[in-house]
Amino acid sequence: MFLKKIALFNYKNFSEINFDFNAKINCFVGKNGVGKTNVLDAIYHLANGKSYFNPLAVQNIKHNQDFFVIEGEFEKASRNEQIVSSFKKGQKKILKRNGKAYEKFSDHIGLIPLVIISPADSDLITEGSETRRKFVDNVISQLDPSYLQQIIQYGKIISQRNALLKYFALNHVFETDMLQIYNEQLHVLGQLIFEKRKNFIADFLPIFIKHHQAITNSNESVALIYESHLFENDTVTLLVNNINKDRALQYTSVGIHKDDLSFQIDSFPIKKFGSQGQQKSFLIALKLAQFEFVKKQSGERPILLFDDIFDKLDEDRVEKIVAMVNQDQFGQLFISDTHPERTENIVKTTHQSYKIFNL
């Protein structure tokens, strides 16, 4: 996978800017606030149909403008892919591939494999379970389109069941027939999603541990533990046993939409017991494992975005990552950094083709 060029119009802080890429490593350097991260986010946007940092489309439009357009040209398996994402206030976002608009954005996921490593990844540790579920779902969805459709359908049924619970509470009624229909639908989808998540963690964990050991050179024991109500019981039984609680709360309190992924170091939650350095290493290992997992499963190297990580890592960890570049484990890289000289000194040691873009 190779990004050949990108053009931004009214995207975030840019009125209009174009970039041509012919190098393996592409570096955006400049002071804070000039838009380095925004260029990386535009690349992410083309791969996923939304921003990594702000999924609200209207907030990605440049101030005092009413639309944005991102155009990109990728090379995939010796074929050019033209991807355009555009949005105008008051209208639906449009995503096009080779001039044809997608009816469903979900059909686009997986076409352009991509992994981003960013300081914003700390949310995976600090935020709630939804953030970690989205990470798992994003990785699986890039490789399994049916999984993404199952997630979308499950979410719709949960919304319908929650609306029914609210209707019961508002009208002081209770009918089991409709609930049973939703319960059965959630059971079928929930079991499929649960099995795929369970299998993914089993395959992903050894890759993650390998990368963590390579980055840290330590004997720390790290783990990713999949937590789900479905380890306790099937979905129908869970929903029936918790119906009084659901009626009181007016939403569905059990099921795979409450799954979590516990991040542990030496058998303790890394959120509470991991130092800042340990947390950074944990997250980078997680994303490098995502890269390798997608590469193995898809047979192609994802585009890799490094957002401001050289400013966040000590020299030893940077050297470890550079060594991986030297071993040619990565495909095309995009890097943002505030220090031009530091960036160039680092990428020079890789002996790979590179280009510096000063913003």
Side-chain angles (χ1 to χ4, degrees), residues 17 19 62 137 143 157 177 190 219 229 259 274 277 280:
I17 195 164
F19 299 97
K62 192 177 190 296
D137 291 344
L143 302 161
I157 298 168
D177 290 352
N219 296 317
H229 294 133
D259 286 358
K280 288 175 187 173

Side-chain angles (χ1 to χ4, degrees), residues 108-127:
H108 179 65
I109 303 304
L111 177 71
I112 301 168
L114 178 147
V115 175
I116 183 169
I117 302 179
S118 163
D121 296 336
S122 60
D123 287 353
L124 284 164
I125 290 175
T126 59
E127 296 296 317

